[in-house]
Amino acid sequence: MTADAFDTEITETAKALIGPWRRPRQMLHAQVYDAHASIHDDATAQKLGFKGGTIEGPTHFSQFAPLGARLWGQAWFESGCLSAHYRSVCYEGEEVQAILSKPSPGASQCQIQMVKRDGTEVLRGTASVGEPHAATALETRLTELKPLADPVILREVTVAQTSKRQPVRMAFDQTMGDLYPFSLRQKLAVITENSPYYSGSDHPWGRAIIPMEMLSVLFQYRSKDDPLPAKGPAVGLFADQEIRLVKGPLFVDEGYEVEREVVALSGSRRTESAWVKTRVFDKTGTMVATMLLNMATLKDSYAPYEEEYRRLYGAGR
C-alpha cells in the first residue's frame, strides 16, 4: 500500500473496531423519483409521517470503510462486502457511529452495527471479504421473508424478471441524473470518510476508485431507463442493501455494464418490496461486483391503493 487509506480515528477494543461519531450530509433534496419528489424531500417525507427528508442508506456505508480497511487491508477494496438491514431512518444533523465486531479466528465475516447517540439502531448486518463461506445478513434474510400477498403496486412484477444490460460510467464531474442530482466531486467534498484512494493521488491501483456508497449510485444510475412494471407514482425507500466487490475496486471514469434481476418479492403492513440483484461487468465481460437491494414502496404513497385493492381482492386490507 502506498498510502494510508484513511486517517479516521478508530477505537479498538478486544471485541470491536469503533469509528468516530459523524453527521452524514443529505444530498438528495432535489431527487426526482417516479416523476415526483422522493422520501429525501422534506415535504414528501413529512406527508408520509417522517420528520423530514431522510439520509440515503448507502451514505452510511462510508463510515464502515475505514474499519474494513483496518481489519483486512487491501482485500477490503478488492473483495469487500457490506450487507445491511436498515432499521431506522437518519436525518441530517444526527450523529451516528459505525461498529464492526471482530471476526472469530479464521473467519472472514463479522457483524456490523450503526447507532445514534440515543442508542437507536440505524442498521445491522455483516461485513466480509472474499468468500466468507457463511451466509451474509441479507442472504439469511432472504430465507426468512414474509411473501408478498395481494400485491397492488407490484402486481405486474414477477420473480426472475431481468433487465437488458446498460452501460454506466461515473466521472468526477458527472451529475448522476434525476435520481442522484450531484457529482462524485460534490460527494467527496462532504463524504464522512475521505481517502486519497478516491482522488487518485496516491494508492495501489494507479487511478481513483469509487467509494462503496457511490457504487450504489453507479449501479442505480440508469435504472429508470428500464424500470420494473410497478404502479405509480409512489414513494420507495431502501430497506435492505448489500454491495459486494468480486473483482474490485471499481474505477472512476471506467465503463461498466449492469443488469438487474428480481430475485424475491415480499410485503409488510406498510410496504410492498421488490428485491433486485444487480450484476456489474467490466469491458471484458467479467463480473466485478453485485448489489442486492430491497426497494420497499410505501402503500400509503400510492393514491389509489385502497380503491385498487378492493377492486382486486374484494375487501379493504
Side-chain angles (χ1 to χ4, degrees), residues 6-312:
F6 301 97
D7 60 8
T8 304
E9 184 176 337
I10 297 172
T11 300
E12 183 169 359
T13 70
K15 295 183 177 180
L17 298 176
I18 304 168
W21 292 100
R22 298 293 199 205
R23 290 187 174 93
R25 290 286 298 276
Q26 160 70 288
M27 295 194 71
L28 296 181
H29 298 96
Q31 185 184 59
V32 176
Y33 180 86
D34 204 8
H36 60 84
S38 74
I39 195 70
H40 309 290
D41 166 72
D42 285 344
T44 302
Q46 287 165 1
K47 287 178 184 177
L48 295 167
F50 297 93
K51 285 195 307 183
T54 61
I55 301 284
E56 190 194 27
T59 302
H60 300 307
F61 280 18
S62 282
Q63 286 182 243
F64 290 97
L67 308 182
R70 168 73 68 87
L71 187 61
W72 289 302
Q74 187 169 327
W76 170 253
F77 299 96
E78 297 176 340
S79 64
C81 174
L82 286 174
S83 185
H85 172 51
Y86 297 119
R87 302 269 295 166
S88 63
V89 299
C90 180
Y91 303 101
E92 188 158 22
E94 290 187 310
E95 287 187 298
V96 290
Q97 184 178 59
I99 303 167
L100 183 151
S101 299
K102 293 180 178 178
S104 303
S108 57
Q109 181 166 286
C110 57
Q111 301 297 308
I112 60 170
Q113 182 186 39
M114 176 167 279
V115 296
K116 299 182 185 181
R117 283 281 190 183
D118 64 1
T120 300
E121 190 174 54
V122 175
L123 66 81
R124 69 168 62 172
T126 56
S128 57
V129 292
E131 291 294 335
H133 306 296
T136 65
L138 295 197
E139 287 172 341
T140 299
R141 190 161 163 76
L142 276 175
T143 68
E144 302 169 347
L145 293 177
K146 180 180 179 181
L148 178 58
D150 301 340
V152 174
I153 298 167
L154 300 180
R155 183 171 174 80
E156 298 178 13
V157 178
T158 59
V159 172
Q161 276 185 256
T162 303
S163 73
K164 61 186 178 183
R165 287 199 185 182
Q166 299 170 316
V168 295
R169 180 186 298 266
M170 179 181 290
F172 275 115
D173 294 306
Q174 173 187 356
T175 299
M176 301 302 290
D178 288 346
L179 283 178
Y180 300 99
F182 57 88
S183 68
L184 174 58
R185 195 179 304 278
Q186 289 171 321
K187 166 58 74 169
L188 293 180
V190 298
I191 196 169
T192 54
E193 315 300 327
N194 213 333
S195 170
Y197 293 8
Y198 302 155
S199 64
S201 58
D202 188 13
H203 58 62
W205 304 280
R207 41 192 308 207
I209 70 172
I210 300 174
M212 187 172 280
E213 74 162 277
M214 289 297 284
L215 292 179
S216 177
V217 173
L218 178 68
F219 301 166
Q220 288 287 98
Y221 172 43
R222 296 192 59 199
S223 59
K224 290 303 175 184
D225 293 347
D226 188 15
L228 293 175
K231 296 291 185 67
V235 175
L237 51 83
F238 290 7
D240 300 88
Q241 188 170 25
E242 175 181 299
I243 295 177
R244 179 190 294 275
L245 292 163
V246 179
K247 290 185 179 296
L250 274 64
F251 297 104
V252 176
D253 209 19
E254 178 79 11
Y256 298 96
E257 289 191 331
V258 300
E259 68 178 22
R260 301 175 184 84
E261 179 188 1
V262 179
V263 296
L265 298 171
S266 65
S268 70
R269 182 179 59 84
R270 294 189 65 194
T271 64
E272 294 187 10
S273 287
W275 293 70
V276 177
K277 183 73 167 284
T278 300
R279 299 178 180 89
V280 187
F281 304 89
D282 67 11
K283 59 187 176 184
T284 70
T286 301
M287 189 171 72
V288 294
T290 64
M291 179 172 74
L292 177 61
L293 178 64
N294 170 13
M295 175 62 82
T297 304
L298 295 162
K299 296 175 182 178
D300 289 346
S301 72
Y302 179 52
Y305 188 92
E306 294 292 347
E307 176 187 345
E308 291 190 21
Y309 188 96
R310 284 193 296 270
R311 177 172 57 81
L312 290 168

